[in-house]
């Protein structure tokens, strides 16, 4: 009876310090991640609550990464406390030897191993997939009118955008996109807006350079140009040539 109470006490102590270290490590890692997301929020003006709820989907993945360190530091802190309070000596003096410690550690590690396996191979991948989907949706809900500055925005896997915004006007617009060719567009000014994940560019006074797979270069100068980009199609057409 006493032996079982000792094992239960040790298990409770180990669990307490495990969750204490888990809270500390998880808080630090989560703050670092949400700080990175808030940088994106300030950049493209995503709502703060959206960023906060998005960051919660990172928690299972963070736990799977830090859980070995939590286990080490949790056990270390627990046994330091037991030694400081002379509880180790008291348990050993009852004549049970190291058996209560061995049994408790075995039970606790089996529980942690089961939780880690479920997290790592099932729960964490599913939640992380939801996180990536929601992050993609937020990144593609850009309101260009609210953006203060830009620095080579990845609109999708094939399109990069850069521009300057002065007095609510878009200037020095640079677009690099790939279809069957590698294309570079520069315009002195223009209008940019997005709707339903479709990016619309109305460009004025610039040029377009296209490079085909054979490295043949085609250059077009324009007075007006319209470009529409979504995740599947790129529609671009010239309105007026330069004389």
């Amino acid at each position: 009876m006493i032996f079982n109470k000792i094992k239960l006490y040790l298990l409770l102590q180990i669990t307490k310090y495990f969750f204490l270290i888990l809270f500390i490590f998880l808080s630090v890692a989560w703050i670092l991640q949400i700080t990175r997301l808030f940088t994106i929020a300030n950049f493209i003006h995503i709502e703060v609550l959206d960023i906060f709820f998005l960051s919660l989907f990172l928690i299972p993945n963070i736990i799977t990464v830090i859980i070995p360190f939590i286990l080490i530091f949790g056990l270390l802190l627990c046994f330091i406390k037991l030694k400081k309070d002379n509880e180790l000596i008291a348990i050993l003096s009852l004549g049970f030897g190291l058996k209560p410690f061995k049994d408790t550690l075995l039970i606790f590690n089996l529980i942690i191993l089961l939780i880690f396996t479920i997290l790592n191979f099932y729960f964490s991948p599913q939640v992380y997939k939801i996180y990536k989907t929601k992050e993609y949706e937020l990144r593609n809900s850009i309101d260009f009118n609210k953006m203060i500055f830009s620095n080579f925005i990845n609109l999708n896997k094939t399109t990069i955008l850069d521009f300057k915004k002065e007095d609510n006007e878009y200037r020095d617009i640079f677009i690099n996109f790939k279809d069957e060719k590698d294309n570079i567009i520069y315009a002195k000014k223009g209008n940019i807006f997005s709707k339903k994940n479709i990016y619309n560019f109305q460009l004025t006074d610039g040029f377009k350079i296209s490079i085909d797979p054979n490295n043949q270069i085609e250059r077009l100068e324009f007075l007006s140009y319209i470009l529409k980009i979504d995740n599947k199609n790129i529609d671009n057409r010239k309105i007026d040539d330069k004389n």
Side-chain angles (χ1 to χ4, degrees):
M1 187 70 175
I2 297 177
F3 182 74
N4 291 332
K5 287 185 177 180
I6 291 173
K7 288 197 295 184
L8 179 61
Y9 175 76
L10 289 174
L11 185 61
L12 290 175
Q13 291 299 310
I14 292 172
T15 303
K16 181 177 73 174
Y17 285 98
F18 176 85
F19 280 104
L20 174 63
I21 299 298
L22 171 63
F23 175 77
I24 295 171
F25 275 53
L26 182 59
S27 297
V28 173
W30 179 75
I31 289 171
L32 291 174
Q33 290 297 320
I34 199 171
T35 301
R36 179 183 65 84
L37 293 174
F38 273 129
T39 302
I40 300 173
N42 292 331
F43 175 51
I44 57 179
H45 286 263
I46 299 173
E47 294 294 330
V48 173
L49 281 178
D50 290 336
I51 289 294
F52 175 78
F53 288 119
L54 177 65
S55 68
L56 297 180
F57 289 96
L58 285 171
I59 291 177
N61 193 58
I62 293 173
I63 292 176
T64 59
V65 174
I66 65 175
I67 201 169
F69 303 99
I70 297 168
L71 184 60
I72 293 170
F73 285 101
L75 290 174
L76 182 62
L77 188 62
C78 177
F79 280 95
I80 288 174
K81 187 264 181 186
L82 292 175
K83 179 179 181 301
K84 183 179 179 181
D85 294 345
N86 295 321
E87 291 177 299
L88 287 177
I89 296 175
I91 293 172
L92 291 172
S93 65
L94 292 174
F96 295 115
L98 297 176
K99 186 172 176 55
F101 302 100
K102 292 179 180 178
D103 291 349
T104 304
L105 288 174
L106 179 61
I107 293 170
F108 183 77
N109 285 327
L110 286 175
I111 294 172
I112 295 300
L113 181 61
L114 178 62
I115 295 173
F116 180 78
T117 302
I118 295 172
L119 272 175
N120 197 44
F121 293 101
Y122 178 74
F123 191 70
S124 180
Q126 295 296 325
V127 174
Y128 190 70
K129 188 183 296 183
I130 297 173
Y131 163 78
K132 294 302 291 184
T133 301
K134 291 185 176 294
E135 183 189 36
Y136 179 80
E137 290 173 354
L138 286 178
R139 284 179 178 272
N140 285 276
S141 60
I142 300 174
D143 188 347
F144 291 101
N145 292 321
K146 293 182 179 180
M147 294 182 65
I148 301 172
F149 62 93
S150 71
N151 187 13
F152 295 101
I153 307 166
N154 288 288
L155 296 181
N156 55 39
K157 294 181 179 179
T158 62
T159 308
I160 298 174
L161 169 66
D162 186 42
F163 60 84
K164 293 180 181 178
K165 192 174 181 182
E166 300 175 355
D167 299 325
N168 292 322
E169 291 186 352
Y170 301 96
R171 298 182 179 275
D172 294 333
I173 301 168
F174 169 86
I175 306 169
N176 174 226
F177 68 92
K178 294 182 180 180
D179 42 25
E180 66 275 4
K181 299 179 181 179
D182 193 359
N183 303 278
I184 297 173
I185 295 179
Y186 170 81
K188 290 184 179 179
K189 58 183 179 178
N191 187 26
I192 307 172
F193 59 94
S194 61
K195 185 178 181 181
K196 295 181 180 180
N197 292 335
I198 299 177
Y199 303 98
N200 298 270
F201 302 89
Q202 297 173 348
L203 308 174
T204 303
D205 194 10
F207 63 85
K208 174 185 175 185
I209 297 175
S210 299
I211 305 174
D212 65 19
N214 297 320
N215 291 325
Q216 297 295 316
I217 300 175
E218 177 185 349
R219 179 184 172 91
L220 168 69
E221 295 188 358
F222 58 82
L223 292 175
S224 299
Y225 198 89
I226 292 178
L227 176 67
K228 292 185 179 181
I229 297 175
D230 62 21
N231 294 323
K232 296 181 180 180
N233 302 299
I234 297 177
D235 176 23
N236 62 100
R237 60 182 184 271
K238 169 189 63 181
I239 303 300
D240 295 316
D241 276 336
K242 283 188 177 180
N243 294 328

